[in-house]
Amino acid sequence: MKKRTGILLGLDILLLCVFAEAMVEKYNTKAVFNTMQESKKIALTFDDGPNAEYTEMLLKGLEERGVPATFFLLGKEVEKYPDIVELIHQKGHLIGTHSYEHVNLKNLSDEAAIEQVDKTNAAIHNIIGEYPEFIRPPFGSWKSNLDYETNMIEVLWDIDPLDWKTNNAGVVTKRVVDKAKEDDIILMHDASESSVEAALEIVDELKEEGYIFVTVDEIIFE
Ligand code: NI
C-alpha cells in the first residue's frame, strides 16, 4: 500500500513538473514562480447584512471574480430578507452570525446574549437548512464562556479599513491593500456602494499580488 502511494506521489510530481515546464514555455519563468510561491490565503468578511440595496451587487461582483467571502448576518435583517440570505448561500459563501440586533453582547446577561445568537442561528437555519458555526460579535465584544454556551467560534479581524466611515472607495481599497498579508481577515460592510466597489477592487488588486480568497474557516482551521 505504502509503495503504491509512493509511486502515485512520484507520478504526481512528474505531472506537476511537466505542467510547470509547459507553463514556463507558455508564459515566462518569473510569472510561474510568482504564482507558485505566492499562493497566500486571505479572507473578506462582510458584517451587518443582508442589505437590501447592496448585498446583491456585491454577490454579482464576487461571482464574476470567482471569489468566496464570509457574511456575518444580523438575525433581524435575515428575517426581513430571506431571499438574499438564500442567494448568499447558493453562491457558495459562508454565513456566520453577527447577533440578532447588533448589540454589545458583553453588556448583556449570558442568557440574553445566548438568545441573540440562538435567535439569529434559528433564522438562518430556517432559510439555508444549516446552523452557522462562526460568530463575529458586534464591536468584537464577546465573553469567552459563550464559546462553550453557544458552541460558536469567534472570528475577529486583522484589517479594519473603517469602510462605513467614508464613501471614498479608493481610500478603503488602499487601506486594505497596503496592510494585507497572508492569512489576514478583512472586515467590511456590504452596506454602501463605495464599500462594494472597494471590496471588488481589493479582490482585483490582491489577486494580482497572488492572493487566494477563501472563507474564514479555511484560515481558522489551517
Ligand atoms: Ni456590525
Side-chain angles (χ1 to χ4, degrees), residues 47-48 74 98 102 136-139 187 189:
D47 286 7
D48 299 358
L74 290 170
H98 192 52
H102 214 279
R136 155 94 33 85
F139 321 105
L187 164 62
H189 303 79

Side-chain angles (χ1 to χ4, degrees), residues 95-202:
I95 293 179
T97 300
H98 192 52
S99 80
Y100 188 77
E101 49 203 343
H102 214 279
V103 283
N104 187 328
L105 297 168
K106 233 179 202 167
N107 294 343
L108 301 183
S109 66
D110 282 5
E111 214 176 32
I114 292 166
E115 196 193 337
Q116 285 281 325
V117 177
D118 285 352
K119 248 170 105 176
T120 305
N121 288 353
I124 293 169
H125 179 262
N126 266 343
I127 299 162
I128 67 168
E130 290 169 23
Y131 287 104
E133 286 177 75
F134 299 95
I135 183 163
R136 155 94 33 85
F139 321 105
S141 176
W142 181 242
K143 291 188 277 190
S144 56
N145 64 307
L146 293 177
D147 283 347
Y148 177 74
E149 302 280 353
T150 62
N151 263 326
M152 302 298 286
I153 299 163
E154 184 190 16
V155 178
L156 297 177
W157 57 86
D158 301 294
I159 303 177
D160 176 5
L162 301 174
D163 61 318
W164 52 276
K165 270 193 176 176
T166 172
N167 55 16
N168 187 331
V171 166
V172 174
T173 304
K174 189 170 161 31
R175 283 177 187 161
V176 173
V177 171
D178 284 354
K179 271 198 190 168
K181 57 184 189 338
E182 190 169 3
D183 293 332
D184 273 354
I185 295 176
I186 303 162
L187 164 62
M188 295 189 75
H189 303 79
D190 46 336
S192 71
E193 197 173 343
S194 58
S195 283
V196 171
E197 248 177 64
L200 299 177
E201 185 60 34
I202 287 164

Side-chain angles (χ1 to χ4, degrees), residues 41-45 67-72 88 91-95 134 155 184-185 212-222:
K41 285 192 236 172
I42 200 156
L44 268 177
T45 65
V67 158
T70 305
F71 291 79
F72 292 101
I88 296 172
K91 298 294 179 189
H93 304 287
L94 182 65
I95 293 179
F134 299 95
V155 178
D184 273 354
I185 295 176
I212 293 178
F213 285 84
V214 296
T215 46
V216 294
D217 51 331
E218 287 193 45
I219 286 182
I220 286 168
F221 292 137
E222 194 179 48

